[in-house]
Amino acid sequence: MCAINGFNFKNIELIKKMSAITSSRGPDNEGFSFSEDYTIGHNRLSIIDPEQRSNQPFYFKNLILTFNGEIYNYLELKKKLISKGFSFETKSDTEVIIKLFYLNGIDSFKELSGIFAISIYDINLKKFYLIRDTIGVKPIYYHYNPTSNKFIYSSLIKSILISLKDTKLNYRAVESYSNFNRNDYRETFYKDIFKVLPGELIEFKNDILKRSKFLKLE
């Protein structure tokens, strides 16, 4: 279990506060990356390749990756990448994900077998990608304010709440949970905070947020 946090502006104080809230999900390492266009944080629970070389955010070329989960077929995918000329500096599934994405773009997500919540930021395109596994084992939430053009995401709702000036209860979600003991809506208990649905891909660029059902359970 790890945690990912990020947003489309620079605020080091905020990302550290968010990371402190999600630290229980990843006590082994805390990492940050930022520029004027993005701020990204990661709390790591070291399982595969616990060495420092596999800490996140993880970089390759123009890409920055943060990842929560486990890829079951990463060794198979690694062999395919090696056959195409890629080399590896770690033994982690993290490095496999980012290099597979560099090769195949969003179609690479369809090759992953596992449980995951993944964030990738393309520095050249100034674009965020969020994707969640088809079962929805690993959580990821986001907030987007079209007025301020602020896009914020996290593994926990609580760490998004601290950046919002006004929070309101979402009665639609509460009613769903009260009636069915579950909430299958995209909406959460808080207005304007949404969950990435199982198998859903979120793309955010130039203040435009695109949602698509990208992965299907087979």
Side-chain angles (χ1 to χ4, degrees), residues 25 68 114-117 131-141 195-200 213 215 217:
R25 296 181 62 88
N68 170 29
I115 51 176
F116 53 81
I131 188 99
R132 190 179 180 195
D133 64 81
T134 54
I135 301 298
V137 175
K138 297 300 181 181
I140 183 168
Y141 304 91
K195 57 187 173 185
V196 179
L197 296 175
E200 189 173 43
K213 180 66 173 180
L215 302 178
L217 181 63

Side-chain angles (χ1 to χ4, degrees), residues 56-217:
Q56 301 176 43
F58 197 94
Y59 306 83
F60 181 68
K61 304 290 187 180
N62 55 304
L63 303 174
I64 304 173
L65 167 72
T66 50
F67 160 59
N68 170 29
E70 183 179 356
I71 306 302
Y72 304 142
N73 64 334
Y74 80 99
L75 291 177
E76 175 187 342
L77 295 171
K78 186 175 183 177
K79 289 180 181 178
K80 291 182 180 179
L81 288 168
I82 291 173
S83 71
K84 294 182 180 295
F86 286 87
S87 60
F88 288 83
E89 299 178 1
T90 77
K91 297 180 180 179
S92 68
D93 49 359
T94 304
E95 188 176 8
V96 172
I97 297 170
I98 197 169
K99 291 185 175 179
L100 190 64
F101 184 88
Y102 181 80
L103 180 65
N104 294 329
I106 60 174
D107 285 335
S108 64
F109 298 137
K110 296 178 180 179
E111 300 182 60
L112 303 178
S113 173
I115 51 176
F116 53 81
I118 298 171
S119 161
I120 293 179
Y121 182 74
D122 188 316
I123 297 172
N124 294 344
L125 297 178
K126 297 183 179 180
K127 184 174 183 177
F128 287 91
Y129 302 85
L130 304 179
I131 188 99
R132 190 179 180 195
D133 64 81
T134 54
I135 301 298
V137 175
K138 297 300 181 181
I140 183 168
Y141 304 91
Y142 65 93
H143 162 79
Y144 174 54
N145 186 331
T147 303
S148 64
N149 292 323
K150 288 187 175 181
F151 173 65
I152 305 172
Y153 63 89
S154 177
S155 295
L156 295 179
I157 293 176
K158 185 178 180 180
S159 59
I160 297 178
L161 286 173
I162 62 172
S163 64
L164 305 185
K165 294 181 179 180
D166 185 27
T167 57
K168 296 180 180 179
L169 192 63
N170 184 351
Y171 289 101
R172 185 186 185 204
V174 173
E175 289 174 358
S176 175
Y177 194 84
S178 298
N179 291 329
F180 305 109
N181 201 31
R182 60 187 292 165
N183 172 33
D184 293 328
Y185 294 120
R186 177 177 286 107
E187 303 163 359
T188 66
F189 287 169
Y190 295 92
K191 279 189 173 294
D192 300 323
I193 297 181
F194 304 90
K195 57 187 173 185
V196 179
L197 296 175
E200 189 173 43
L201 172 66
I202 304 295
E203 300 173 80
F204 183 82
K205 178 185 178 183
N206 295 332
D207 303 326
I208 297 175
L209 189 147
K210 177 184 176 183
R211 295 187 295 243
S212 58
K213 180 66 173 180
F214 195 72
L215 302 178
K216 296 181 180 180
L217 181 63

